[in-house]
Amino acid sequence: MFVAKVVGSLVSTQKTASMVGHKLLVVEPYRLDQARQSLKSAGRTFVAVDTVGAGEGDYVLIVQGSSARLTPETKNLPVDTVIVGIVDTVHVGQTCVYAKQTGSP
Protein backbone atom coordinates (compact mmCIF):
# COMPACT_ATOMS: atom_id res chain seq x y z
CA MET A 1 0.00 0.00 0.00
CA PHE A 2 1.12 3.53 -0.72
CA VAL A 3 0.03 7.06 0.19
CA ALA A 4 -0.72 9.17 -2.87
CA LYS A 5 -2.32 12.51 -3.68
CA VAL A 6 -5.10 12.81 -6.24
CA VAL A 7 -3.81 15.37 -8.75
CA GLY A 8 -6.35 15.02 -11.54
CA SER A 9 -8.92 12.96 -13.35
CA LEU A 10 -8.98 11.06 -16.61
CA VAL A 11 -11.83 10.56 -19.06
CA SER A 12 -11.74 7.75 -21.60
CA THR A 13 -14.79 7.43 -23.82
CA GLN A 14 -13.42 4.40 -25.69
CA LYS A 15 -12.52 1.54 -23.36
CA THR A 16 -13.20 -2.11 -22.67
CA ALA A 17 -16.81 -2.71 -21.61
CA SER A 18 -15.89 -3.86 -18.09
CA MET A 19 -14.37 -0.43 -17.36
CA VAL A 20 -17.49 1.58 -18.24
CA GLY A 21 -18.77 3.51 -15.22
CA HIS A 22 -15.53 3.37 -13.24
CA LYS A 23 -14.05 6.71 -12.14
CA LEU A 24 -10.39 7.14 -13.11
CA LEU A 25 -8.11 9.51 -11.20
CA VAL A 26 -4.50 10.55 -11.65
CA VAL A 27 -2.55 9.93 -8.43
CA GLU A 28 0.95 10.93 -7.40
CA PRO A 29 2.61 8.69 -4.78
CA TYR A 30 4.15 10.43 -1.76
CA ARG A 31 6.91 9.35 0.61
CA LEU A 32 8.46 10.65 3.82
CA ASP A 33 11.15 13.27 3.43
CA GLN A 34 14.64 12.43 4.74
CA ALA A 35 13.99 14.09 8.09
CA ARG A 36 10.72 12.08 8.41
CA GLN A 37 8.88 15.33 9.14
CA SER A 38 6.68 15.66 6.06
CA LEU A 39 5.41 13.93 2.95
CA LYS A 40 6.92 14.72 -0.45
CA SER A 41 6.21 13.63 -3.99
CA ALA A 42 7.90 10.48 -5.22
CA GLY A 43 8.05 12.11 -8.66
CA ARG A 44 5.75 9.94 -10.75
CA THR A 45 2.04 9.52 -11.46
CA PHE A 46 -0.40 6.66 -12.06
CA VAL A 47 -3.97 6.28 -13.24
CA ALA A 48 -6.07 4.60 -10.54
CA VAL A 49 -9.63 3.31 -10.33
CA ASP A 50 -11.46 5.10 -7.51
CA THR A 51 -13.53 2.79 -5.28
CA VAL A 52 -14.09 5.20 -2.37
CA GLY A 53 -15.26 8.55 -3.80
CA ALA A 54 -11.95 10.43 -3.61
CA GLY A 55 -11.48 13.81 -5.21
CA GLU A 56 -8.73 16.09 -6.42
CA GLY A 57 -6.46 17.16 -3.57
CA ASP A 58 -7.28 14.17 -1.36
CA TYR A 59 -4.49 12.02 0.03
CA VAL A 60 -5.44 8.39 -0.56
CA LEU A 61 -4.28 4.83 -0.04
CA ILE A 62 -3.49 3.00 -3.26
CA VAL A 63 -2.69 -0.62 -3.98
CA GLN A 64 -1.03 -1.94 -7.11
CA GLY A 65 -0.55 -5.20 -8.97
CA SER A 66 -2.52 -8.28 -7.99
CA SER A 67 -3.78 -6.50 -4.83
CA ALA A 68 -5.62 -4.04 -7.08
CA ARG A 69 -7.89 -6.85 -8.24
CA LEU A 70 -8.85 -8.06 -4.77
CA THR A 71 -11.62 -5.56 -4.05
CA PRO A 72 -15.23 -6.47 -4.82
CA GLU A 73 -15.41 -3.54 -7.25
CA THR A 74 -12.30 -4.51 -9.24
CA LYS A 75 -12.07 -8.30 -9.09
CA ASN A 76 -12.97 -8.69 -12.77
CA LEU A 77 -11.30 -5.54 -14.12
CA PRO A 78 -8.02 -5.15 -16.03
CA VAL A 79 -6.54 -2.73 -13.48
CA ASP A 80 -3.16 -2.25 -11.86
CA THR A 81 -3.76 0.64 -9.41
CA VAL A 82 -6.81 1.15 -7.17
CA ILE A 83 -7.71 3.76 -4.55
CA VAL A 84 -8.89 1.84 -1.47
CA GLY A 85 -9.02 4.57 1.19
CA ILE A 86 -8.96 8.31 1.89
CA VAL A 87 -6.28 9.38 4.38
CA ASP A 88 -7.29 11.43 7.43
CA THR A 89 -3.93 11.66 9.22
CA VAL A 90 -0.39 10.32 8.97
CA HIS A 91 1.75 10.10 12.12
CA VAL A 92 5.38 9.02 12.25
CA GLY A 93 6.52 8.62 15.83
CA GLN A 94 5.27 11.70 17.66
CA THR A 95 5.08 13.83 14.49
CA CYS A 96 1.92 14.43 12.49
CA VAL A 97 3.16 14.65 8.91
CA TYR A 98 -0.32 15.09 7.39
CA ALA A 99 -3.75 16.04 8.73
CA LYS A 100 -6.73 16.28 6.38
CA GLN A 101 -8.50 19.06 8.27
CA THR A 102 -5.49 21.38 7.90
CA GLY A 103 -4.38 20.02 4.53
CA SER A 104 -0.76 20.17 5.63
CA PRO A 105 1.48 17.72 3.78
Side-chain angles (χ1 to χ4, degrees):
M1 246 187 282
F2 301 94
V3 173
K5 183 177 184 180
V6 178
V7 295
S9 61
L10 184 142
V11 175
S12 173
T13 57
Q14 299 296 315
K15 58 189 164 224
T16 187
S18 64
M19 293 295 293
V20 172
H22 292 280
K23 183 171 145 187
L24 302 174
L25 296 174
V26 179
V27 296
E28 179 178 16
Y30 270 61
R31 62 182 179 82
L32 285 171
D33 68 355
Q34 270 195 321
R36 299 172 93 58
Q37 299 294 311
S38 65
L39 296 173
K40 68 184 263 185
S41 171
R44 58 189 195 275
T45 58
F46 296 96
V47 174
V49 173
D50 179 28
T51 64
V52 296
E56 193 164 341
D58 282 339
Y59 281 78
V60 294
L61 288 176
I62 61 171
V63 293
Q64 294 182 293
S66 60
S67 297
R69 291 179 298 281
L70 293 177
T71 71
E73 300 86 356
T74 60
K75 66 181 177 181
N76 295 316
L77 298 180
V79 298
D80 188 56
T81 306
V82 175
I83 297 170
V84 295
I86 299 173
V87 176
D88 295 314
T89 61
V90 177
H91 289 86
V92 177
Q94 299 300 314
T95 304
C96 179
V97 297
Y98 171 75
K100 185 175 183 174
Q101 64 269 21
T102 63
S104 62

